[in-house]
Amino acid sequence: MESDIERAGRLMLASKHVVGLTGAGVSVESNIRPFRGPGGLWTEYGEPPMDGYQRFLANPKEDWEQRLSRGGYRRELYEALEVAKPNPAHYALAELEELGVLKYLITQNVDNLHRAAGSKEVAEIHGNFSKLRCIQCGSRYEREEISLEALPPHCPRCNGVIKSDGVMFGEPIPSDILRICEEETSKSDCMLLVGTSAFVYPAAGFPQEVKRRGGALIEVDPYETGITPFCDVSIRGKAGEMLPRIVDYIKVKPQRGESST
Ligand SMILES: [Zn+2]
């Protein structure tokens, strides 16, 4: 009997435009605590204010000072992010891209680990903690590129105020990223959901859109999620163990000459 791993691999090989969608579950396997749920940073420290972006706009200097002083959950988060390394799930996704099977990766994670593992076509829908972004022209910078001597820092290109690239509560998803996500989703006939309950919008809308157009959904998660009832294949287990098995299946399948039925 065909295993879930085989079904997932076969579906992906039969699809034209597989898009990945990853969430906190992938980061957790690199020892980054999730924000929400049991053991979550915000569960322990309290959620940041829902109007974080409006507060930033009202007083960017103060927000920068708080950020640099690393109060509350930020200290633990930044310390974890700075030492985090990609895990086998990140490498498996990068390999699926290299193999030409995965066309694009949308991530809700801010930890930069998909890029660190070698993924190239990545849309970081909630930003990237290692980058800064101008709120006026949208230019992104590496942290080292921008002096923090005077706060808030200003954009070398347009003199707009610079904030972290991480998307705050109340902040719209940067339009360039959202456009890419929507384009990739509209092309996708198979979405691979890894470590995400696809609960938070706008990411939650992407698998729904793929499903609505008759595409397939594959889920890899240790637990049942809100999206499980809509998935064609649900693989229960750690992403770092299951994704490499899908990669192995995909790599040997053509050599075995099996039919795709
Ligand atoms: Zn700018």
Side-chain angles (χ1 to χ4, degrees):
M1 211 182 95
E2 195 179 40
S3 72
D4 288 340
I5 298 285
E6 289 166 345
R7 284 177 64 211
R10 182 169 55 76
L11 256 178
M12 288 167 71
L13 283 171
S15 300
K16 289 191 174 64
H17 201 87
V18 182
V19 171
L21 175 64
T22 64
V26 177
S27 299
V28 166
E29 293 179 31
S30 285
N31 298 317
I32 296 169
R33 284 172 68 183
F35 292 112
R36 295 189 166 86
L41 280 169
W42 293 342
T43 312
E44 181 180 336
Y45 291 97
E47 291 222 359
M50 294 307 290
D51 59 348
Y53 187 55
Q54 286 66 36
R55 289 179 188 223
F56 175 83
L57 293 179
N59 195 341
K61 182 177 197 289
E62 186 179 282
D63 194 273
W64 264 104
E65 284 166 354
Q66 284 174 5
R67 178 165 296 269
L68 295 175
S69 72
R70 297 187 161 196
Y73 74 93
R74 280 172 170 166
R75 174 180 303 277
E76 191 174 330
L77 174 64
Y78 292 169
E79 284 172 1
L81 288 172
E82 278 157 13
V83 299
K85 298 269 186 301
N87 66 60
H90 294 108
Y91 289 114
L93 288 163
E95 193 168 3
L96 286 172
E97 180 183 335
E98 180 82 29
L99 290 166
V101 174
L102 187 71
K103 297 294 193 284
Y104 217 92
L105 187 56
I106 300 170
T107 185
Q108 297 163 276
N109 301 331
V110 300
D111 49 38
N112 197 46
L113 294 179
H114 285 303
R115 292 186 194 280
S119 286
K120 291 180 181 68
E121 301 292 345
V122 184
E124 293 152 321
I125 196 158
H126 294 155
N128 182 322
F129 96 105
S130 72
K131 294 198 172 98
L132 303 176
R133 171 166 44 85
C134 170
I135 61 171
Q136 191 160 296
C137 73
S139 294
R140 290 182 180 78
Y141 300 96
E142 299 297 326
R143 278 193 296 188
E144 317 75 77
E145 289 180 84
I146 301 294
S147 163
L148 298 180
E149 265 174 50
L151 297 176
H154 284 85
C155 177
R157 290 188 188 128
C158 78
N159 206 37
V161 170
I162 284 187
K163 69 180 285 290
S164 66
D165 185 42
V167 174
M168 293 171 163
F169 277 131
E171 179 180 2
I173 305 293
S175 56
D176 55 341
I177 300 293
L178 194 56
R179 192 174 58 245
I180 291 170
C181 292
E182 287 169 351
E183 279 172 15
E184 293 299 322
T185 299
S186 73
K187 285 190 271 185
S188 176
D189 54 354
C190 177
M191 191 164 268
L192 174 65
L193 306 152
V194 189
T196 176
S197 56
F199 172 73
V200 179
Y201 276 87
F206 303 147
Q208 291 172 12
E209 166 69 12
V210 171
K211 196 71 196 167
R212 196 182 59 76
R213 284 185 296 99
L217 299 181
I218 300 167
E219 171 188 59
V220 179
D221 202 288
Y223 311 104
E224 196 164 301
T225 73
I227 200 86
T228 300
F230 307 98
C231 289
D232 299 86
V233 185
S234 288
I235 297 171
R236 290 280 161 261
K238 291 172 73 174
E241 291 166 13
M242 299 300 148
L243 288 177
R245 288 174 56 190
I246 297 177
V247 172
D248 287 346
Y249 172 81
I250 283 173
K251 279 160 82 173
V252 300
K253 185 161 194 299
Q255 291 154 26
R256 287 205 301 260
E258 291 173 4
S259 75
S260 61
T261 53

